[in-house]
Amino acid sequence: MSQWNQVQQLEIKFLEQVDQFYDDNFPMEIRHLLAQWIENQDWEAASNNETMATILLQNLLIQLDEQLGRVSKEKNLLLIHNLKRIRKVLQGKFHGNPMHVAVVISNCLREERRILAAANMPVQGPLEKSLQSSSVSERQRNVEHKVAAIKNSVQMTEQDTKYLEDLQDEFDYRYKTIQTMDQSDKNSAMMNQEVLTLQEMLNSLDFKRKEALSKMTQIIYETDLLMNNMLIEELQDWKRRQQIACIGGPLHNGLDQLQNCFTLLAESLFQLRRQLEKLEEQSTKMTYEGDPIPVQRTHMVERCYQWHLPFCERQPCMPTHPQRPLVLKTLIQFTVKLRLLIKLPELNCQVKVKASIDNNRRFVLCGTNVKAMSIEESSNGSLSVEFRHLQPKEMKSSAGGKGNEGCHMVTEELHSITFETQICLYGLTIDLETSSLPVVMISNVSQLPNAWASIIWYNVSTNDSQNLVFFNNPPTATLSQLLEVMSWQFSSYVGRGLNSDQLNMLAEKLTVQSSYSDGHLTWAKFCKEHLPGKSFTFWTWLEAILDLIKKHILPLWIDGYVMGFVSKEKERLLLKDKMPGTFLLRFSESHLGGITFTWVDHSENGEVRFHSVEPYNKGRLSALPFADILRDYKVIMAENIPENPLKYLYPDIPKDKAFGKHYSSQPCEVSRPTERGDKGYVPSVFIPISTIRSDSMEPHSPSDLLPMSPSVYAVLRENLSPTTIETAMKSPYSAE
């Protein structure tokens, strides 16, 4: 089943998450119509290869043209219109930057895999539970209710302003009528009555002006209270969700809902400002001693502009490493996106943003670092700005020379990208500032794993979005939270999270405990101290496994065929009662980035025996796909013909049923030289071979493997070249 078909079968709460990351950059219509073709392309590789990205973009447009031809025959007018619009948008947006479309599509496919993995995980961790608190939903409903109440109050003051205008017009009319009367009429009783009426109207006008201003002041006060308390609290919750999403957690949504609330409040304040302008016009036409409008109006107008909230919508990230945001390499471009949390057309291109890094000027940002926010930068009409070509550069030391550029940077040193925002509106200039989450600077890609560990630890351990001295005294993290994040690393990076058994094994490795529900872990234990008896840390070991999965066994991992995290003791318990030839795949605990397999068989007297091969690392797996190794693997028992001992993947899945679709090719049949047209050569096949003597479980040296029986050697010579036999014999069996 294709990935897209699996996505469409998800529950509504997961489908809502999918909906969050499809926009005009990559419309969902295209994902749906070209699902199989899209999934068959290597978009991640193209995101780092401009030539490949250009070809894929051209092929994408060709695929769209073919779909247009098909729907044209069906005379589906709406779909024809949408496809033409989408094609035009894609060609215009990505023609000069084809690698960007590869990044976008790669990110979408990865997020789909993460959501599918989350949907298949029965265990919800403490961090995810904390993001779905019922009290948060209750506060959201309360906020929406208060926003609606404020909007209704502004409508009522609009009526008050109109009433004041009508009252003043009537007063003006009556006053001018008196002025045009004859002198004799002015002394009449009717005239005296009219003057009394005018005085009453003036008193009423004064009262209504004060009442209207009082209501407006109350509305501004309630708006300030709502923004600076409940809405800011909502925004802080969203920032926390963004922190969690940056380290592989559930996608953060709800920003559009927050923006809607801020926009409605801003519209209400805009309406109040217009009402104040009308009151000022009325005051200009007619004022009097004690008129409240000139006294209060200026201060109230200023308060109407205190609602602008620029926010870092997409945190700094190198396009070359989309799954490792907040880690930036010097002289490598990164992207970051800012959004204004109000959606008003009056502000389009009136908001200028300047990006910088670090107040101590150790780093500078090269590239275009000043841009204007515009509606065109977003897919939902909000005011946004995206910096796509910024490069951090380390300043030279004052002593001269090359300075620190290229030196080994401290991956526990945090920095911040700062955005100075200037808003120009109605003659006023408002200066604001916001910042990204802390970032880690590196000068070499080899520092990326440790830098990413710092980002994980920071965002797990604190809600503070700007504690740049965090690692001066890093706090502990709860083990349950940390293991939840470890599962997210696997779901976001390699498409499948960890189950409770796998997490238990990691907990035992970290703390020598059988349960991971309680306890705390230190930063040193996670990333600084070596594992007992090993020359590497826990994080180095885990990161090497992630790299191994990503580059060499990804399809097998996604299918769930790699048990991976299981101790030697546990694997024997699992295999001992299984059929001979049952095997499982696990990651090496002593070799970085290694994977091994263990199978069970029985001796002649019925004794259960376990066999493990020397772990395969990335060097060996680069030469031969792991699925092919499992298919072709042979063992040689003394005086026996080589045979494959691997029959069933644990618990009882026939090997070929599990791995058949992942074989790179079918095993080659041995042919005579004349049967091939390739200059008479017989094609060679690499077959991994181990040798096991029935009376020993110990690994053997090459000298133990020969001499073998003439019949066995004849079989090998018939099927393999002498070079292949020699190569195979130099990969002896060993028990890990």
Side-chain angles (χ1 to χ4, degrees):
M1 182 185 298
S2 72
Q3 182 172 307
W4 184 243
N5 285 336
Q6 295 179 58
V7 167
Q8 293 177 85
Q9 295 178 15
L10 291 172
E11 297 178 17
I12 186 66
K13 66 177 182 179
F14 294 110
L15 290 175
E16 289 175 352
Q17 294 182 31
V18 174
D19 184 60
Q20 291 292 320
F21 53 82
Y22 280 105
D23 52 26
D24 285 347
N25 284 327
F26 184 34
M28 192 178 288
E29 296 97 320
I30 302 305
R31 178 67 179 99
H32 181 75
L33 289 172
L34 305 179
Q36 196 61 57
W37 181 83
I38 287 170
E39 291 174 30
N40 289 337
Q41 314 308 311
D42 192 347
W43 298 100
E44 187 161 342
S47 66
N48 297 312
N49 187 317
E50 187 169 1
T51 301
M52 185 178 179
T54 302
I55 294 172
L56 280 182
L57 177 58
Q58 292 172 348
N59 289 340
L60 176 63
L61 296 175
I62 291 172
Q63 292 288 329
L64 274 178
D65 288 337
E66 292 178 357
Q67 290 294 326
L68 264 171
R70 181 182 62 79
V71 299
S72 296
K73 294 178 182 178
E74 299 173 0
K75 297 182 178 179
N76 188 331
L77 183 61
L78 180 60
L79 189 54
I80 291 172
H81 172 78
N82 286 339
L83 286 180
K84 285 183 177 179
R85 178 185 60 82
I86 290 169
R87 191 192 190 287
K88 184 177 180 181
V89 169
L90 291 179
Q91 189 170 23
K93 182 170 289 193
F94 299 118
H95 177 69
N97 190 9
M99 292 172 63
H100 187 54
V101 72
V103 170
V104 169
I105 297 178
S106 174
N107 288 345
C108 288
L109 294 176
R110 186 181 68 256
E111 289 299 336
E112 284 180 9
R113 291 194 297 270
R114 191 200 60 75
I115 291 172
L116 286 169
N120 293 325
M121 285 294 292
V123 179
Q124 188 182 53
L127 281 172
E128 188 169 352
K129 286 179 180 177
S130 69
L131 301 178
Q132 300 175 355
S133 170
S134 58
S135 63
V136 173
S137 299
E138 181 63 30
R139 190 173 65 239
Q140 288 173 347
R141 287 191 291 269
N142 196 12
V143 166
E144 291 171 358
H145 174 75
K146 288 183 178 295
V147 169
I150 288 173
K151 191 170 183 64
N152 185 60
S153 296
V154 172
Q155 295 300 326
M156 294 179 68
T157 57
E158 183 76 31
Q159 297 174 15
D160 292 342
T161 305
K162 184 67 171 66
Y163 174 78
L164 274 168
E165 186 177 12
D166 293 342
L167 183 61
Q168 183 165 322
D169 286 345
E170 184 180 354
F171 180 88
D172 286 343
Y173 175 77
R174 285 176 175 268
Y175 182 76
K176 289 177 181 178
T177 301
I178 292 177
Q179 295 298 316
T180 59
M181 292 176 65
D182 293 336
Q183 188 62 35
S184 58
D185 293 335
K186 290 182 179 180
N187 297 325
S188 65
M190 183 181 298
M191 179 62 180
N192 293 334
Q193 183 61 43
E194 187 66 19
V195 170
L196 289 174
T197 301
L198 282 174
Q199 185 62 50
E200 290 176 359
M201 289 182 67
L202 184 60
N203 292 338
S204 177
L205 188 66
D206 180 63
F207 175 79
K208 289 295 183 182
R209 282 185 177 183
K210 290 176 180 177
E211 184 182 49
L213 289 169
S214 177
K215 288 181 180 179
M216 292 179 183
T217 301
Q218 182 63 27
I219 290 172
I220 294 173
Y221 171 76
E222 291 176 357
T223 303
D224 284 346
L225 200 63
L226 182 58
M227 282 189 173
N228 295 322
N229 289 285
M230 299 182 73
L231 268 176
I232 293 300
E233 192 174 353
E234 285 287 306
L235 190 58
Q236 292 301 326
D237 284 342
W238 194 91
K239 288 181 178 180
R240 179 57 180 161
R241 291 195 290 273
Q242 187 186 49
Q243 278 187 274
I244 296 303
C246 282
I247 53 175
L251 276 176
H252 46 284
N253 49 33
L255 191 59
D256 288 343
Q257 184 181 12
L258 268 174
Q259 178 179 281
N260 184 55
C261 289
F262 280 115
T263 298
L264 288 174
L265 290 177
E267 288 174 345
S268 296
L269 290 174
F270 254 63
Q271 193 172 352
L272 274 183
R273 184 192 60 79
R274 288 192 292 268
Q275 293 171 17
L276 287 166
E277 286 178 350
K278 289 181 180 179
L279 290 179
E280 184 183 26
E281 291 175 5
Q282 294 174 22
S283 179
T284 302
K285 291 179 181 178
M286 190 198 76
T287 187
Y288 49 87
E289 187 177 350
D291 186 355
I293 294 176
V295 177
Q296 300 183 40
R297 182 254 173 200
T298 302
H299 177 65
M300 292 176 68
V301 168
E302 289 177 356
R303 291 182 65 189
C304 285
Y305 285 97
Q306 297 177 13
W307 37 256
H308 305 284
L309 289 168
F311 186 72
C312 195
E313 178 182 5
R314 191 183 306 143
Q315 294 293 331
C317 182
M318 295 186 292
T320 52
H321 295 83
Q323 293 145 324
R324 297 291 187 263
L326 302 173
V327 178
L328 306 180
K329 183 180 179 298
T330 53
L331 302 181
I332 296 296
Q333 290 183 356
F334 69 91
T335 65
V336 61
K337 187 174 182 179
L338 215 67
R339 185 203 285 204
L340 199 66
L341 291 184
I342 56 169
K343 189 176 177 180
L344 296 174
E346 294 95 326
L347 293 173
N348 193 28
C349 297
Q350 299 301 312
V351 184
K352 300 292 192 298
V353 181
K354 179 181 179 181
S356 59
I357 183 170
D358 278 354
N359 292 327
N360 61 15
R361 310 306 297 171
R362 178 182 170 188
F363 294 94
V364 294
L365 290 181
C366 302
T368 305
N369 70 329
V370 179
K371 295 183 71 175
M373 282 190 171
S374 70
I375 294 174
E376 289 72 23
E377 287 279 358
S378 70
S379 60
N380 64 354
S382 61
L383 279 165
S384 301
V385 60
E386 183 172 7
F387 295 93
R388 300 187 181 93
H389 306 293
L390 295 176
Q391 292 181 0
K393 180 180 179 180
E394 191 172 13
M395 297 293 286
K396 294 181 180 180
S397 66
S398 57
K402 295 184 178 180
N404 296 323
E405 188 68 50
C407 295
H408 181 80
M409 295 181 184
V410 180
T411 55
E412 297 166 38
E413 184 178 279
L414 300 176
H415 306 272
S416 181
I417 310 295
T418 302
F419 304 95
E420 300 172 23
T421 306
Q422 188 177 82
I423 302 172
C424 300
L425 190 64
Y426 301 117
L428 291 178
T429 299
I430 303 169
D431 294 316
L432 301 165
E433 187 174 287
T434 190
S435 299
S436 70
L437 288 170
V439 300
V440 173
M441 301 297 302
I442 61 174
S443 57
N444 192 291
V445 175
S446 64
Q447 297 170 264
L448 183 60
N450 283 340
W452 181 239
S454 297
I455 294 299
I456 288 175
W457 198 267
Y458 181 92
N459 289 293
V460 166
S461 305
T462 180
N463 295 349
D464 190 343
S465 61
Q466 280 303 302
N467 184 6
L468 300 184
V469 295
F470 174 86
F471 282 103
N472 287 353
N473 184 25
T476 60
T478 63
L479 190 57
S480 55
Q481 287 182 342
L482 190 60
L483 290 171
E484 182 182 10
V485 175
M486 293 303 97
S487 181
W488 290 344
Q489 300 309 296
F490 283 82
S491 62
S492 63
Y493 196 67
V494 291
R496 187 182 185 88
L498 305 179
N499 59 35
S500 56
D501 290 335
Q502 292 167 323
L503 291 174
N504 267 321
M505 189 272 190
L506 292 182
E508 291 175 13
K509 199 163 189 66
L510 278 166
T511 65
V512 198
Q513 294 178 351
S514 59
S515 172
Y516 61 83
S517 59
D518 297 311
H520 286 73
L521 198 71
T522 64
W523 165 243
K525 185 76 172 178
F526 177 70
C527 191
K528 310 294 285 185
E529 299 173 0
H530 288 177
L531 289 168
K534 303 295 188 296
S535 60
F536 45 80
T537 67
F538 171 84
W539 173 249
T540 302
W541 173 71
L542 200 68
E543 177 74 11
I545 289 172
L546 282 165
D547 188 61
L548 172 79
I549 295 173
K550 183 74 171 180
K551 295 179 179 177
H552 299 290
I553 59 170
L554 185 60
L556 278 61
W557 174 261
I558 290 176
D559 284 350
Y561 293 146
V562 181
M563 187 173 293
F565 297 104
V566 56
S567 65
K568 298 176 186 177
E569 296 75 15
K570 182 67 177 291
E571 78 173 358
R572 281 160 173 70
L573 288 174
L574 295 174
L575 292 173
K576 68 176 184 177
D577 297 325
K578 296 300 178 181
M579 294 180 291
T582 301
F583 67 100
L584 57 79
L585 311 178
R586 67 177 178 86
F587 300 122
S588 171
E589 295 181 63
S590 57
H591 292 66
L592 281 178
I595 185 170
T596 183
F597 47 87
T598 300
W599 74 92
V600 62
D601 67 11
H602 299 102
S603 63
E604 293 181 358
N605 60 10
E607 179 185 358
V608 177
R609 299 183 299 187
F610 304 98
H611 310 278
S612 297
V613 300
E614 180 183 0
Y616 289 86
N617 57 24
K618 61 183 180 181
R620 300 173 71 187
L621 294 176
S622 296
L624 197 61
F626 194 48
D628 289 359
I629 290 174
L630 297 173
R631 178 194 64 193
D632 299 329
Y633 181 76
K634 299 288 191 298
V635 294
I636 303 176
M637 302 290 287
E639 304 297 331
N640 288 329
I641 296 176
E643 63 177 32
N644 193 322
L646 310 178
K647 307 298 181 186
Y648 306 98
L649 178 67
Y650 180 88
D652 54 9
I653 307 172
K655 180 185 65 179
D656 290 339
K657 181 179 179 181
F659 302 107
K661 65 179 180 180
H662 301 302
Y663 297 154
S664 62
S665 63
Q666 293 302 315
C668 295
E669 295 291 336
V670 177
S671 308
R672 295 182 181 276
T674 56
E675 293 177 0
R676 297 281 182 171
D678 192 12
K679 297 183 179 180
Y681 289 111
V682 176
S684 61
V685 180
F686 286 101
I687 300 178
I689 298 177
S690 297
T691 178
I692 302 175
R693 294 190 308 189
S694 59
D695 59 345
S696 175
M697 289 293 292
E698 296 300 319
H700 303 276
S701 65
S703 61
D704 295 325
L705 303 181
L706 292 173
M708 63 178 66
S709 67
S711 60
V712 172
Y713 190 65
V715 171
L716 291 178
R717 288 194 63 185
E718 181 181 348
N719 289 275
L720 301 173
S721 69
T723 302
T724 302
I725 295 174
E726 183 180 355
T727 301
M729 293 306 180
K730 290 181 179 178
S731 300
Y733 156 82
S734 67
E736 185 189 2

